[in-house]
Amino acid sequence: MKMTSKILTIAAGSAIIASSLQSCKPKDTSNVVSGNASVKAYVAPGKYDEMYNFVSGGFSGQMSVYGIPSGRLFRVIPVFSVDPEKGWGYSEESKPMLNTSKGFIPWDDLHHVQLSKTNGDADGRWVFGNANNTPRVARISLKTFRTEEIIEIPNSAGNHSSPFLTENTEYVVAGTRFSVPSDNANGDVPINTYKQNFKGYLSFISVGKEDGKMDIAFQLECPGVNFDLSRAGKGVSHGWFFFSCYNVEQANTLLEVNASQKDKDFIMAVNWKKAEEYIKAGKGRKETVKYAHNVWDESTHSSTSEMKNEVTVLNVKDFPDICYMMPCPKSPHGCDVDPTGEYIVGSGKLAALLPVFSYSKMLKAIESKSFDGDYEGLPILKYESVLHGEVKKPGLGPLHTEFDAKGNAYTSFFVSSEIVKWNVKELKVIDRKPVFYSVGHLCVAGGDSKNPDGKYLVAYNKITKDRYLPTGPELTQSAQLFDISGEKMEMILDYPTIGEPHYAQMILADKVKNNSTKIFKIDENKHPYVTKGEKESKIVREGNKVHVYMTCVRSHFAPDNIEGIKMGDEVYFHVTNLEQDWDVPHGFAIKGDANAELLIMPGETQTYKWVPNGVGIVPFYCTDFCSALHQEMQGYVRVSPAGSNVPLTWSVGTNLPKAEETATK
Ligand code: K7E
Ligand code: CUA
């Protein structure tokens, strides 16, 4: 009886919170884009956009590339999910990229993108993304717009507070969303031993200055809370990192109620320079773990997956000058640092105000030990002594904040469905505009950098409802573009997006476009199965493995007639695209096979594994419309029964020597 009534109380409480978290529809849904505004988003046919916009795909696991201000979609870059369109996860070369300590995983959930930085500004070299579900960080090349590296993160679960970069891309940082027992601890424990057994790990992944190669430099073992989001300090606060934490109650069930009990959660300030010193001084402990490190090599057009087995861990409890807790009202989500590095904005999802913390006040509070007890051994700084001030009644359900170069901040409000512009120093609201509906992240051009470009803002909305033609129960997620060059924000465009966007970033096109790869030089192709000219094409049988060294060029494959393949064979088509011309990929697909297609870039070799599933003639063809005679770009394989003595033969341009003979057999 007692039990039941307790459950009812919890359920009722959760209903109240849940309903307050649902969005309310802004009143003036009639808000429309004026004729003048549409000109601002207009990019004439044949003209380039001003900015690249890299947008997370959420549960699609991919990253998409848009032009701003037109909102035109240029490319979907496969990252953590297989992409049959591009053969990602299907070609032999790309399969290792999706390998993990648990084997090949075809999907993930990508929430945050981060452009690599030099001196606090995007430098146009790489863009990073996080896998939320099976913790990983990916690095994508902005030369090839291809995922070049994926590193798995041990001791982590729900890699949400990730990937966030320090000012010179010294580290990509990843905080765990779920605290869990560490990988090498006995995890077979009751769930309600959370407080004793669950830990929260922060991972500092180093990034090679020239090649971008990632390596887990060290991990910080922290109290078992949920790390949600983070930002590096910059400028004055370079050397520090800030993480929003929720569930400091350490609840293990019904978090919507049980992790909303306390008036304040925390933003954890981490002195990573100090942590680095301790690591250099050998204070870390080595832990045996298992994680995959996958690297794409542009010269071999292939990837490798290496299993690693050790990380260095520092338990922050043993080093009291690394971590400090700043109280932050009500389940903070976004934790954003302004361009100067002095101000840190916490966005409590359930808070009716926006606290802005001061880095210099924080330093003073640490110096003068202005503490309010501790949280699991980590000093709690007094709220008043670290607070710059609060923005009062800014809106409902603040999530994320970005900045312009004029001292203004822009915050997204999920519940009240609006973007609010406010002045960081004076904490005064300047403007508010409704969005349609329930915005999650927002992105200002360069909005997390030291020198924001501040001309455009995009709101990434969670709910689309009546904005587009209905498409069944689910509607595309909607992005809304604002011109923020003036005092007031002006909405200039709606455009649909791929998957569910969370964070996105924008960069001036000039920083990227001239470095973009056009072709791969065939002379430099070091693929072990490359075929550098048609005359070199051949087929080699090794037992039941058959290697087809194939070329393609407008508009034929060589060879395009193959006989002597038998049931039980494993056939590897190593297809080299001989083109040396921009934007001329060829495709490769084969009838009735459970694999996808290949899409082979100029000068590249890619491999298609085929296990024949029936005796007979099996056609293959080019899937990418490459020339006027694309439809002629095709071929045949003859599959014979196991044990057949049909000899292995291949040709192009002539009928097989034994055509007549075999036809009569
Ligand atoms: Cu706010 Cu996953 Cu960054 Cu979505 S998160 S909105
Ligand atoms: Cu090659 Cu179509």
Side-chain angles (χ1 to χ4, degrees):
M1 218 29 226
K2 214 176 169 197
M3 194 61 193
T4 318
S5 71
K6 197 176 173 194
I7 289 168
L8 280 174
T9 322
I10 292 172
S14 102
I16 290 164
I17 291 172
S19 67
S20 74
L21 280 178
Q22 271 148 28
S23 57
C24 32
K25 213 169 164 175
K27 280 173 199 100
D28 56 338
T29 51
S30 62
N31 171 299
V32 285
V33 171
S34 74
N36 261 354
S38 63
V39 171
K40 293 183 176 173
Y42 182 70
V43 177
K47 292 279 184 267
Y48 284 167
D49 276 279
E50 210 178 319
M51 307 236 170
Y52 283 98
N53 184 203
F54 296 91
V55 184
S56 59
F59 48 68
S60 82
Q62 319 294 45
M63 198 184 286
S64 45
V65 187
Y66 293 83
I68 295 293
S70 71
R72 297 181 293 192
L73 173 65
F74 297 147
R75 186 168 182 79
V76 176
I77 303 171
V79 186
F80 296 114
S81 295
V82 297
D83 183 356
E85 177 198 316
K86 301 179 185 77
W88 186 251
Y90 293 92
S91 70
E92 292 309 295
E93 288 78 3
S94 62
K95 283 176 183 171
M97 291 301 285
L98 299 177
N99 193 33
T100 72
S101 60
K102 311 280 184 206
F104 179 92
I105 293 183
W107 170 90
D108 217 298
D109 182 15
L110 194 163
H111 279 217
H112 303 120
V113 306
Q114 277 267 286
L115 289 157
S116 57
K117 288 193 170 77
T118 301
N119 298 324
D121 290 322
D123 57 21
R125 302 207 289 166
W126 307 298
V127 57
F128 296 82
N130 67 319
N132 242 338
N133 186 47
T134 302
R136 283 167 290 170
V137 166
R139 182 175 55 81
I140 292 139
S141 158
L142 294 188
K143 280 189 183 151
T144 57
F145 285 64
R146 185 182 263 164
T147 304
E148 272 191 339
E149 191 178 8
I150 292 180
I151 194 163
E152 192 179 358
I153 303 168
N155 292 327
S156 185
N159 173 42
H160 191 264
S161 192
S162 162
F164 292 96
L165 302 183
T166 53
E167 169 171 297
N168 288 298
T169 318
E170 293 95 338
Y171 293 106
V172 184
V173 177
T176 190
R177 174 235 184 126
F178 297 95
S179 283
V180 284
S182 62
D183 288 359
N184 69 356
N186 173 21
D188 182 15
V189 295
I191 296 169
N192 66 12
T193 61
Y194 187 116
K195 287 187 172 87
Q196 300 91 278
N197 292 319
F198 292 33
K199 303 286 172 219
Y201 279 77
L202 306 177
S203 307
F204 285 72
I205 303 163
S206 59
V207 180
K209 265 204 157 37
E210 298 307 321
D211 60 9
K213 289 275 160 62
M214 298 188 284
D215 191 15
I216 301 181
F218 59 91
Q219 292 191 311
L220 300 179
E221 180 188 329
C222 300
V225 297
N226 287 39
F227 291 107
D228 203 4
L229 281 153
S230 51
R231 288 292 184 179
K234 50 174 153 324
V236 288
S237 55
H238 180 63
W240 287 77
F241 226 99
F242 304 94
F243 297 86
S244 55
C245 318
Y246 65 106
N247 193 21
V248 303
E249 294 86 350
Q250 302 187 320
N252 54 272
T253 180
L254 267 187
L255 260 62
E256 62 174 329
V257 180
N258 295 328
S260 309
Q261 298 296 311
K262 294 219 168 125
D263 194 40
K264 294 203 173 62
D265 293 275
F266 298 115
I267 284 179
M268 187 167 96
V270 177
N271 188 337
W272 62 260
K273 284 269 184 199
K274 259 268 140 63
E276 209 178 37
E277 280 170 27
Y278 288 129
I279 293 291
K280 276 186 192 141
K283 306 277 186 186
R285 64 169 201 266
K286 303 277 184 210
E287 244 182 54
T288 304
V289 288
K290 196 180 165 197
Y291 63 98
H293 182 210
N294 312 331
V295 181
W296 184 272
D297 180 340
E298 219 177 78
S299 67
T300 59
H301 304 288
S302 308
S303 64
T304 48
S305 177
E306 185 193 354
M307 216 46 77
K308 300 209 154 181
N309 48 32
E310 194 178 75
V311 282
T312 307
V313 179
L314 209 59
N315 187 337
V316 298
K317 269 186 212 166
D318 305 335
F319 304 91
D321 54 353
I322 300 178
C323 290
Y324 300 89
M325 306 303 254
M326 301 200 284
C328 183
K330 290 283 179 200
S331 306
H333 187 56
C335 166
D336 297 289
V337 179
D338 88 314
T340 67
E342 166 62 14
Y343 300 108
I344 303 115
V345 182
S347 299
K349 300 187 288 281
L350 302 176
L353 53 84
L354 270 180
V356 180
F357 301 96
S358 152
Y359 171 73
S360 51
K361 279 186 161 181
M362 181 194 86
L363 283 191
K364 273 189 206 124
I366 292 170
E367 235 166 74
S368 63
K369 295 201 163 31
S370 177
F371 300 150
D372 212 350
D374 71 289
Y375 181 81
E376 298 218 348
L378 307 178
I380 300 176
L381 297 162
K382 285 205 173 101
Y383 182 62
E384 293 72 25
S385 59
V386 291
L387 189 72
H388 161 60
E390 294 167 342
V391 185
K392 304 282 191 210
K393 298 210 170 132
L396 296 174
L399 292 186
H400 300 283
T401 300
E402 295 250 287
F403 305 88
D404 68 15
K406 299 175 195 159
N408 302 309
Y410 302 79
T411 302
S412 56
F413 288 84
F414 177 83
V415 179
S416 54
S417 274
E418 57 188 335
I419 303 286
V420 175
K421 175 183 180 181
W422 51 280
N423 181 283
V424 179
K425 266 203 186 122
E426 283 145 31
L427 306 162
K428 290 260 164 28
V429 171
I430 298 167
D431 188 25
R432 58 177 71 236
K433 284 286 181 319
V435 288
F436 308 93
Y437 308 90
S438 298
V439 56
H441 271 277
L442 79 177
C443 158
V444 171
D448 78 324
S449 69
K450 270 180 158 174
N451 298 292
D453 301 297
K455 185 168 171 191
Y456 299 110
L457 178 153
V458 183
Y460 296 95
N461 304 320
K462 298 296 183 191
I463 297 167
T464 308
K465 296 276 192 216
D466 50 11
R467 297 299 286 186
Y468 299 118
L469 288 172
T471 52
E474 200 203 4
L475 292 157
T476 176
Q477 323 287 333
S478 177
Q480 295 189 296
L481 176 67
F482 288 83
D483 174 357
I484 57 165
S485 53
E487 170 88 351
K488 300 284 179 192
M489 301 176 278
E490 187 183 9
M491 188 188 289
I492 56 177
L493 186 71
D494 268 20
Y495 62 96
T497 53
I498 298 282
E500 185 196 29
H502 294 258
Y503 191 39
Q505 293 210 313
M506 257 184 257
I507 182 169
L508 287 169
D510 286 341
K511 288 188 179 179
V512 174
K513 70 177 199 300
N514 298 331
N515 301 327
S516 195
T517 300
K518 291 195 166 73
I519 58 157
F520 298 106
K521 290 197 183 112
I522 190 88
D523 306 338
E524 293 169 10
N525 184 327
K526 296 200 175 68
H527 193 290
Y529 292 94
V530 65
T531 312
K532 293 200 175 176
E534 238 165 67
K535 288 207 181 89
E536 292 164 37
S537 64
K538 61 181 175 185
I539 302 182
V540 177
R541 176 182 280 283
E542 292 165 1
N544 73 329
K545 289 198 171 41
V546 179
H547 294 280
V548 181
Y549 292 72
M550 183 182 263
T551 62
C552 56
V553 74
R554 281 165 286 185
S555 299
H556 61 275
F557 293 100
D560 66 359
N561 278 211
I562 300 169
E563 298 201 3
I565 302 298
K566 296 174 218 168
M567 290 299 289
D569 282 349
E570 251 176 37
V571 184
Y572 294 86
F573 292 96
H574 307 286
V575 188
T576 300
N577 180 348
L578 297 176
E579 306 282 353
Q580 292 288 274
D581 191 3
W582 193 18
D583 197 25
V584 190
H586 292 284
F588 180 84
I590 186 158
K591 184 195 165 188
D593 191 35
N595 206 337
E597 66 168 353
L598 293 178
L599 211 52
I600 313 131
M601 299 306 130
E604 190 180 53
T605 305
Q606 292 289 281
T607 301
Y608 185 104
K609 180 183 173 185
W610 178 52
V611 180
N613 50 15
V615 169
I617 297 294
V618 185
F620 58 86
Y621 72 101
C622 168
T623 53
D624 187 314
F625 208 113
C626 49
S627 73
L629 296 175
H630 152 78
Q631 204 65 356
E632 278 70 12
M633 196 164 172
Q634 63 174 49
Y636 302 95
V637 186
R638 173 184 173 189
V639 181
S640 306
S644 132
N645 54 15
V646 174
L648 188 63
T649 52
W650 62 91
S651 68
V652 60
T654 52
N655 285 325
L656 288 169
K658 290 177 183 166
E660 279 159 34
E661 191 185 328
T662 51
T664 54
K665 263 184 194 167

Short mmCIF file of all heavy atoms in Angstrom, two decimals, residues 552-557 577 579 584-588 621-627 629-634, ligand 2:
data_model
loop_
_atom_site.label_atom_id
_atom_site.label_comp_id
_atom_site.label_asym_id
_atom_site.label_seq_id
_atom_site.Cartn_x
_atom_site.Cartn_y
_atom_site.Cartn_z
N CYS A 552 38.38 0.89 -64.14
CA CYS A 552 37.23 1.49 -64.78
C CYS A 552 37.60 2.88 -65.26
O CYS A 552 38.41 3.57 -64.66
CB CYS A 552 36.03 1.54 -63.83
SG CYS A 552 36.31 2.37 -62.26
N VAL A 553 37.06 3.22 -66.41
CA VAL A 553 37.29 4.52 -67.02
C VAL A 553 36.11 4.71 -67.98
O VAL A 553 35.51 3.71 -68.41
CB VAL A 553 38.68 4.54 -67.72
CG1 VAL A 553 38.66 3.72 -69.01
CG2 VAL A 553 39.18 5.96 -67.96
N ARG A 554 35.76 5.96 -68.28
CA ARG A 554 34.59 6.16 -69.15
C ARG A 554 34.77 5.46 -70.49
O ARG A 554 35.74 5.76 -71.20
CB ARG A 554 34.39 7.67 -69.39
CG ARG A 554 33.70 8.36 -68.19
CD ARG A 554 33.83 9.85 -68.26
NE ARG A 554 35.18 10.27 -67.91
CZ ARG A 554 35.54 11.56 -67.80
NH1 ARG A 554 34.65 12.52 -68.00
NH2 ARG A 554 36.78 11.90 -67.49
N SER A 555 33.94 4.47 -70.88
CA SER A 555 32.82 3.96 -70.12
C SER A 555 32.82 2.44 -70.12
O SER A 555 31.95 1.79 -70.66
CB SER A 555 31.50 4.46 -70.73
OG SER A 555 31.46 5.87 -70.70
N HIS A 556 33.85 1.86 -69.53
CA HIS A 556 33.88 0.40 -69.42
C HIS A 556 34.74 -0.07 -68.24
O HIS A 556 35.55 0.69 -67.71
CB HIS A 556 34.42 -0.24 -70.71
CG HIS A 556 35.82 0.19 -71.04
ND1 HIS A 556 36.11 1.34 -71.73
CD2 HIS A 556 37.02 -0.39 -70.74
CE1 HIS A 556 37.42 1.46 -71.86
NE2 HIS A 556 38.00 0.42 -71.26
N PHE A 557 34.50 -1.30 -67.85
CA PHE A 557 35.34 -1.96 -66.86
C PHE A 557 36.31 -2.87 -67.61
O PHE A 557 36.00 -3.38 -68.69
CB PHE A 557 34.50 -2.86 -65.95
CG PHE A 557 33.55 -2.12 -65.06
CD1 PHE A 557 32.20 -2.02 -65.39
CD2 PHE A 557 33.99 -1.54 -63.88
CE1 PHE A 557 31.31 -1.36 -64.55
CE2 PHE A 557 33.10 -0.87 -63.05
CZ PHE A 557 31.76 -0.77 -63.39
N ASN A 577 39.69 3.27 -60.18
CA ASN A 577 39.14 4.27 -61.08
C ASN A 577 40.31 5.02 -61.72
O ASN A 577 41.05 5.73 -61.03
CB ASN A 577 38.23 5.23 -60.28
CG ASN A 577 37.62 6.31 -61.16
OD1 ASN A 577 38.03 6.51 -62.31
ND2 ASN A 577 36.65 7.03 -60.61
N GLU A 579 40.31 7.44 -63.84
CA GLU A 579 40.06 8.86 -64.17
C GLU A 579 41.00 9.76 -63.39
O GLU A 579 41.32 9.50 -62.23
CB GLU A 579 38.62 9.24 -63.82
CG GLU A 579 37.55 8.37 -64.40
CD GLU A 579 37.27 8.65 -65.87
OE1 GLU A 579 37.82 9.63 -66.41
OE2 GLU A 579 36.51 7.87 -66.46
N VAL A 584 34.50 12.73 -61.27
CA VAL A 584 34.10 11.59 -62.11
C VAL A 584 34.32 10.28 -61.35
O VAL A 584 35.23 9.51 -61.65
CB VAL A 584 34.87 11.56 -63.46
CG1 VAL A 584 34.25 10.52 -64.38
CG2 VAL A 584 34.85 12.93 -64.13
N PRO A 585 33.49 10.01 -60.35
CA PRO A 585 33.53 8.69 -59.73
C PRO A 585 32.86 7.67 -60.64
O PRO A 585 32.08 8.04 -61.51
CB PRO A 585 32.70 8.85 -58.44
CG PRO A 585 32.27 10.27 -58.37
CD PRO A 585 32.47 10.88 -59.73
N HIS A 586 33.21 6.41 -60.46
CA HIS A 586 32.44 5.32 -61.05
C HIS A 586 31.87 4.48 -59.91
O HIS A 586 32.45 4.44 -58.82
CB HIS A 586 33.30 4.44 -61.96
CG HIS A 586 33.76 5.16 -63.19
ND1 HIS A 586 32.94 5.39 -64.26
CD2 HIS A 586 34.96 5.70 -63.50
CE1 HIS A 586 33.61 6.05 -65.20
NE2 HIS A 586 34.85 6.25 -64.77
N GLY A 587 30.77 3.82 -60.20
CA GLY A 587 30.17 2.95 -59.20
C GLY A 587 30.33 1.49 -59.62
O GLY A 587 30.72 1.20 -60.75
N PHE A 588 30.05 0.58 -58.69
CA PHE A 588 30.13 -0.85 -59.02
C PHE A 588 29.10 -1.59 -58.18
O PHE A 588 29.08 -1.47 -56.95
CB PHE A 588 31.53 -1.39 -58.70
CG PHE A 588 31.67 -2.86 -59.00
CD1 PHE A 588 31.97 -3.30 -60.29
CD2 PHE A 588 31.50 -3.81 -57.99
CE1 PHE A 588 32.09 -4.67 -60.56
CE2 PHE A 588 31.63 -5.17 -58.26
CZ PHE A 588 31.93 -5.59 -59.55
N TYR A 621 27.40 -3.55 -63.10
CA TYR A 621 27.36 -2.30 -63.86
C TYR A 621 27.83 -1.13 -63.02
O TYR A 621 27.95 -1.22 -61.80
CB TYR A 621 25.96 -2.05 -64.42
CG TYR A 621 24.92 -1.63 -63.40
CD1 TYR A 621 24.56 -0.28 -63.27
CD2 TYR A 621 24.30 -2.57 -62.58
CE1 TYR A 621 23.60 0.11 -62.35
CE2 TYR A 621 23.35 -2.17 -61.65
CZ TYR A 621 23.00 -0.83 -61.53
OH TYR A 621 22.06 -0.44 -60.62
N CYS A 622 28.06 -0.01 -63.71
CA CYS A 622 28.46 1.23 -63.04
C CYS A 622 27.19 1.96 -62.61
O CYS A 622 26.26 2.13 -63.38
CB CYS A 622 29.28 2.10 -63.98
SG CYS A 622 29.52 3.78 -63.37
N THR A 623 27.19 2.39 -61.34
CA THR A 623 25.98 2.98 -60.77
C THR A 623 25.96 4.50 -60.83
O THR A 623 24.95 5.11 -60.51
CB THR A 623 25.86 2.57 -59.28
OG1 THR A 623 27.09 2.92 -58.63
CG2 THR A 623 25.61 1.09 -59.14
N ASP A 624 27.07 5.12 -61.21
CA ASP A 624 27.15 6.58 -61.19
C ASP A 624 27.15 7.09 -62.64
O ASP A 624 28.03 6.73 -63.42
CB ASP A 624 28.44 7.00 -60.46
CG ASP A 624 28.53 8.49 -60.23
OD1 ASP A 624 28.25 9.27 -61.17
OD2 ASP A 624 28.88 8.89 -59.11
N PHE A 625 26.20 7.92 -62.97
CA PHE A 625 26.06 8.36 -64.38
C PHE A 625 27.27 9.17 -64.80
O PHE A 625 27.37 10.36 -64.56
CB PHE A 625 24.77 9.18 -64.55
CG PHE A 625 24.22 9.08 -65.94
CD1 PHE A 625 23.00 8.44 -66.18
CD2 PHE A 625 24.92 9.60 -67.03
CE1 PHE A 625 22.50 8.32 -67.49
CE2 PHE A 625 24.42 9.47 -68.32
CZ PHE A 625 23.21 8.84 -68.55
N CYS A 626 28.23 8.50 -65.45
CA CYS A 626 29.55 9.09 -65.64
C CYS A 626 29.78 9.67 -67.02
O CYS A 626 30.68 10.47 -67.22
CB CYS A 626 30.60 8.03 -65.32
SG CYS A 626 30.28 6.47 -66.15
N SER A 627 29.00 9.25 -68.01
CA SER A 627 29.22 9.74 -69.37
C SER A 627 27.97 9.44 -70.17
O SER A 627 27.04 8.78 -69.68
CB SER A 627 30.40 9.02 -70.02
OG SER A 627 30.00 7.69 -70.34
N LEU A 629 27.72 7.37 -72.35
CA LEU A 629 27.62 5.91 -72.52
C LEU A 629 27.71 5.17 -71.18
O LEU A 629 28.16 4.03 -71.12
CB LEU A 629 28.69 5.44 -73.50
CG LEU A 629 28.50 6.02 -74.91
CD1 LEU A 629 29.65 5.63 -75.83
CD2 LEU A 629 27.18 5.57 -75.52
N HIS A 630 27.30 5.87 -70.14
CA HIS A 630 27.27 5.26 -68.80
C HIS A 630 26.44 3.98 -68.80
O HIS A 630 26.80 2.99 -68.18
CB HIS A 630 26.69 6.28 -67.81
CG HIS A 630 26.00 5.67 -66.63
ND1 HIS A 630 26.69 5.14 -65.57
CD2 HIS A 630 24.69 5.49 -66.36
CE1 HIS A 630 25.81 4.67 -64.69
NE2 HIS A 630 24.59 4.86 -65.14
N GLN A 631 25.34 4.02 -69.52
CA GLN A 631 24.44 2.87 -69.53
C GLN A 631 25.09 1.65 -70.21
O GLN A 631 24.66 0.53 -70.02
CB GLN A 631 23.12 3.27 -70.22
CG GLN A 631 21.91 2.44 -69.84
CD GLN A 631 21.49 2.57 -68.39
OE1 GLN A 631 22.13 3.22 -67.58
NE2 GLN A 631 20.40 1.91 -68.04
N GLU A 632 26.16 1.90 -70.96
CA GLU A 632 26.91 0.81 -71.60
C GLU A 632 27.98 0.24 -70.66
O GLU A 632 28.64 -0.74 -70.98
CB GLU A 632 27.58 1.31 -72.89
CG GLU A 632 26.66 1.35 -74.11
CD GLU A 632 25.59 2.43 -74.04
OE1 GLU A 632 25.68 3.32 -73.15
OE2 GLU A 632 24.66 2.39 -74.85
N MET A 633 28.18 0.89 -69.54
CA MET A 633 29.28 0.50 -68.64
C MET A 633 28.82 -0.68 -67.78
O MET A 633 28.26 -0.51 -66.70
CB MET A 633 29.69 1.70 -67.78
CG MET A 633 31.04 1.53 -67.11
SD MET A 633 31.68 3.10 -66.51
CE MET A 633 33.09 2.50 -65.59
N GLN A 634 29.07 -1.90 -68.28
CA GLN A 634 28.52 -3.09 -67.65
C GLN A 634 29.39 -4.30 -67.97
O GLN A 634 30.31 -4.21 -68.77
CB GLN A 634 27.10 -3.33 -68.18
CG GLN A 634 27.05 -3.60 -69.68
CD GLN A 634 25.65 -3.96 -70.15
OE1 GLN A 634 24.70 -3.29 -69.83
NE2 GLN A 634 25.57 -5.04 -70.91
CU1 CUA B 2 31.01 4.74 -64.92
CU2 CUA B 2 28.76 5.20 -65.11
#
